[in-house]
Amino acid sequence: MNTTPAYQDLAARQQRQHRLAHLQSIAQWDQAANMPAKGNEARSLALAEMDGLLHQLATDPALQGLLDAAAAEPLDDTQRSNLREIRRAWRAANALPQALVEAKSLANNRCEHAWRTQRPANDWAGFAPNLREVLKIARQEAELLSQSAGLSKYDALLDMYEPGMRGADVERAFAPLRQWLPGLIRDVIAKQSTEAVIEPVGPFPAAAQKALGLDAMKLMGFDFAAGRLDESTHPFCGGVPEDVRMTTRYREDNFLPSLMGTIHETGHGRYEQGLPRELLGQPIARARSMGIHESQSLSFEMQLGSHPAFAGLLSPLLIKHFGDQPAFEPGNLHKLLTRVQPGYIRVDADEVTYPAHILLRFDIERALIEGEAQVDDIPALWDAKMAELLGLDTRGNFKDGPMQDVHWAAGLFGYFPCYTLGAMYAAQWFATMRVQQPDLDARIARGELGGVFDWLSSHVWQAASRYETPELVQRASGEALNPAHFEAHLRGRYLGA
Amino acid sequence: MNTTPAYQDLAARQQRQHRLAHLQSIAQWDQAANMPAKGNEARSLALAEMDGLLHQLATDPALQGLLDAAAAEPLDDTQRSNLREIRRAWRAANALPQALVEAKSLANNRCEHAWRTQRPANDWAGFAPNLREVLKIARQEAELLSQSAGLSKYDALLDMYEPGMRGADVERAFAPLRQWLPGLIRDVIAKQSTEAVIEPVGPFPAAAQKALGLDAMKLMGFDFAAGRLDESTHPFCGGVPEDVRMTTRYREDNFLPSLMGTIHETGHGRYEQGLPRELLGQPIARARSMGIHESQSLSFEMQLGSHPAFAGLLSPLLIKHFGDQPAFEPGNLHKLLTRVQPGYIRVDADEVTYPAHILLRFDIERALIEGEAQVDDIPALWDAKMAELLGLDTRGNFKDGPMQDVHWAAGLFGYFPCYTLGAMYAAQWFATMRVQQPDLDARIARGELGGVFDWLSSHVWQAASRYETPELVQRASGEALNPAHFEAHLRGRYLGA
């Protein structure tokens, strides 16, 4: 006798949504990696149709009764956690009417597609009207979500990416950062100004960079039978856990952005590949949050990839693909990988100045969503904060300013803080690992990365969404989110203190 | 006031199915062109989920009432044609009970999967029981379709690929072929045995072949803003009309199969790209039939691609990508492209012997479906017809005999005649063009292919499914299907008569 019929019904519906979302996900990856220009309108309509269908399945009126009935069934812990996640997704989906879901998908696709040509043309005037439409819909969405969840408008959006985290929590973690970051940047720059660094001499052909990236992914344990690497304008990690689609882009004058970007996306990719396969299709098997996701990419790119000993692992790969040159000596390579230099572009930023880019975006997007700023205010706000935080003049340079990221064009307000939350979580994971594995740094120097991957797998990948974020963090590290680990990491690595 | 509410409802449902099928189509292309091995299970489940959903939409019980109501509404000619096509698709989807759809999918998948290893092992005894099951279900399907459409069993299957065409029509077109083809093959072989041909000297690197293929597609007018070329094990033309996805494969010892295969698929691709964009999403805007589709690929590959003057256009491209060599001289290249040699394998056959492979398959599959032959009869029938038509002994060679094609293993009975119908239509199109454009061959020699493409666009691509095939053929060429054009084409090209 089946004693959990309502739960089984819910689980079968989740499985069905997962399968349809698979097609959606591959078509989205294809849109960025392969699709020719004239395919965009039909693709956008097809994706919007599927968005609508998935929304319809997620808001089926039968769900409320099933959720209530399942709560009274004799579920085990796994089923209970899964039911919690099913309910969370159901609540979020039901906050938005179908028409808004469809209008959002259309406006975001249109804005993002146009952005691909507007950005290189520095065409803020062309971009702004599309962004206004995206923001208008995002504000409506925030308003409805905030009513349904009893949160402020920005918190309601943030909650979609970092469940349980509020703007005030972010501000609590970011407040000390605002205090010590400008001083740290100054100190690191002063220290590094006395150090000689040998520049790599290019060009570095894209084909050799691709081969290098594939070797780096192999070093980081990526499973090529369950994923691949391609090119797109804005690198991302998409696809499905069974078939992870990573992208990168190549600049022939400098191989480092693509190499370190690829290592970054490999962290996302291994998280997805490492989710519990036997539960795939159920919400409990999904990645916990964007901040936790970013803690994996930054564990790969920063904690490991920019580790002093990691340069010794990379150096032979560079020589293999580009031939030998003095810049590839491990000590010099480490200096290249940890050079701190305020710049315009977030995705090119070093580990130390990166949080400044996030503080700036967090402040602006929070004001945009709360209605305290408008699209036309963005350039002036941007210029002021770049001058204040990084001492840079960005006036008139929209393409390297507020047009540099895809996030707002794609309607992703509330996402940016996750990057720096992820950096903080990653520092906390490695602080914990060093306590549990005292020879960790020596092992990394010997290229034995298995201990790191095993720790991440058992504490983060396999846990997936079984626990809410605070419980996951507590179980993994024995304490709540503690931004002091991030400060200690940066001071230790960059000032030797 | 909306005077066509039922029609509008039907059209909106078609649009929705078209959009969902877009994602299905891109995911299928991706499965063949990109997907790593471990993605296959999840992808197959996702595609099957979508198959089920599309079948559910196509068999919605509300459709019958809507179709009847729409027939009484004041529709214009376009809407009336579209309604005819909607009804045709509805009848086909509803002829089969769900249990048979599932049994068919299971039997076909099992047979096709086993065939992949049984064929190289020449294992007819292992293959036959699976094929018996596939045939049993195909006969049930034919029986149900024939009752629903008032056709004979074979005609009911043929109608799915070549609507409006009956087995008797095919036989009327094939009867003269049976008379003159064996003699023509003999005469051409005798003529060619006196001619010297210089073989190309390889290897031909895949990257150079790909660049050549892209140049050939450009020459043939493919719109790269609405499609692309990739690689897959079995070449095909997929994607959607707005974004056509062609594939090919490369053999480094011989560039001709990939080059001519690419030109062939470009014909399919331009047909799709040339369908009436303002109607896309409605059945009236779909390609007319498999035979008409093949008439486009063969117009490109055979009528144009193997035209004596076309070698003069290809020769500079070969020299550009592979360097010069004596085999690339236009006269010699034309000889290479028109060499006739009876062989076992249909897909490797030349333009002259190809119809023999189709006559043989048409006769056998028609007898199988009508119940006049059984699976165990196939080898003897095959051997007899191969000896009679091509003078080849195939006894005991099942893998290069009745096991060479995927069609029957996959349950596709009724498809084969479309290949030769396509060759006949293509010859008829060019005969018509030559009357209307007396300098056609001189223009082709000058590389001015626009006149050909414009004719195909206005008579075939833009017509899409507005007319049933006989009317389309009549409007395009001023007469019904006339196989004499195909005979005249082959005699003219291969015997100079």
Side-chain angles (χ1 to χ4, degrees), chain B residues 130-404:
Chain B
N130 289 337
L131 185 60
R132 265 195 287 276
E133 187 61 24
V134 167
L135 178 61
K136 191 182 104 190
I137 292 172
R139 284 170 171 169
Q140 289 171 9
E141 182 184 9
E143 176 66 36
L144 289 166
L145 285 167
S146 91
Q147 287 164 9
S148 140
L151 298 172
S152 85
K153 284 187 277 187
Y154 183 73
D155 288 0
L157 295 185
L158 178 64
D159 196 70
M160 295 196 297
Y161 308 110
E162 202 55 54
M165 182 71 80
R166 308 290 164 245
D169 301 322
V170 176
E171 186 48 43
R172 201 169 307 121
F174 284 6
L177 199 60
R178 296 182 197 277
Q179 298 305 310
W180 55 256
L181 188 64
L184 178 69
I185 293 172
R186 271 193 309 275
D187 293 348
V188 173
I189 290 172
K191 176 166 188 284
Q192 293 190 347
S193 68
T194 66
E195 300 172 348
V197 185
I198 305 164
E199 293 293 335
V201 179
F204 304 97
Q209 287 194 55
K210 171 151 197 184
L212 169 65
L214 293 172
D215 268 356
M217 288 166 72
K218 205 168 147 196
L219 177 66
M220 306 306 274
F222 187 83
D223 181 356
F224 286 95
R228 45 183 288 144
L229 175 70
D230 292 270
E231 287 177 58
S232 74
T233 311
H234 301 283
F236 67 102
C237 177
V240 292
E242 303 90 340
D243 181 2
V244 168
R245 301 295 172 97
M246 284 171 45
T247 70
T248 187
R249 60 183 165 193
Y250 303 108
R251 284 174 48 182
E252 300 217 330
D253 64 323
N254 186 356
F255 66 91
L256 282 172
S258 181
L259 174 61
M260 298 315 287
T262 298
I263 291 174
H264 178 97
E265 300 301 337
T266 304
H268 288 306
R270 286 213 65 187
Y271 187 7
E272 293 290 321
Q273 289 183 335
L275 293 168
R277 291 190 75 87
E278 70 285 4
L279 295 170
L280 286 180
Q282 297 304 319
I284 193 180
R286 289 195 199 127
R288 173 64 279 184
S289 72
M290 291 303 116
I292 299 296
H293 230 308
E294 206 63 20
S295 82
Q296 300 310 294
S297 52
L298 294 176
S299 286
F300 277 54
E301 180 191 1
M302 296 304 181
Q303 294 294 328
L304 273 181
S306 300
H307 188 285
F310 197 79
L313 308 179
L314 277 183
S315 177
L317 297 181
L318 301 185
I319 293 167
K320 172 181 169 193
H321 293 288
F322 301 133
D324 203 355
Q325 54 173 283
F328 297 165
E329 182 276 320
N332 187 73
L333 185 57
H334 179 63
K335 284 185 194 160
L336 285 167
L337 290 173
T338 51
R339 215 140 37 148
V340 173
Q341 177 67 55
Y344 298 121
I345 305 297
R346 176 184 61 85
V347 295
D348 294 339
D350 56 80
E351 188 180 17
V352 179
T353 58
Y354 198 105
H357 294 274
I358 298 304
L359 289 174
L360 151 78
R361 286 159 176 77
F362 169 63
D363 292 344
I364 295 176
E365 71 175 15
R366 201 178 176 194
L368 287 171
I369 293 297
E370 296 294 356
E372 295 151 12
Q374 309 306 323
V375 166
D376 290 343
D377 302 328
I378 295 175
L381 288 171
W382 193 281
D383 295 339
K385 284 170 192 290
M386 283 298 279
E388 173 199 332
L389 289 162
L390 291 173
L392 294 174
D393 183 355
T394 54
R395 285 174 295 176
N397 185 358
F398 307 107
K399 70 177 194 297
D400 298 326
M403 290 179 76
Q404 70 183 267

Side-chain angles (χ1 to χ4, degrees), chain A residues 128-245:
Chain A
N130 288 339
L131 184 61
R132 265 195 288 274
E133 187 60 24
V134 168
L135 178 62
K136 192 181 104 189
I137 293 173
R139 283 170 171 169
Q140 290 170 5
E141 181 183 10
E143 176 66 36
L144 289 167
L145 284 168
S146 91
Q147 287 164 7
S148 142
L151 299 172
S152 83
K153 282 186 276 187
Y154 184 74
D155 287 0
L157 294 186
L158 178 63
D159 195 70
M160 296 197 295
Y161 307 110
E162 203 53 54
M165 183 72 82
R166 308 288 163 249
D169 300 322
V170 176
E171 188 47 44
R172 200 170 308 120
F174 285 4
L177 200 60
R178 294 184 198 275
Q179 297 307 309
W180 55 257
L181 188 63
L184 180 68
I185 293 172
R186 270 194 307 276
D187 293 349
V188 174
I189 290 172
K191 176 167 187 284
Q192 293 189 346
S193 68
T194 65
E195 299 171 349
V197 185
I198 305 165
E199 292 294 334
V201 179
F204 305 97
Q209 288 195 53
K210 171 151 196 182
L212 169 64
L214 293 172
D215 267 357
M217 288 166 73
K218 206 169 147 192
L219 176 67
M220 307 307 271
F222 187 84
D223 181 356
F224 285 96
R228 46 183 288 144
L229 174 70
D230 292 271
E231 287 177 58
S232 74
T233 310
H234 195 94
F236 69 103
C237 177
V240 293
E242 303 91 339
D243 182 2
V244 168
R245 301 295 173 96

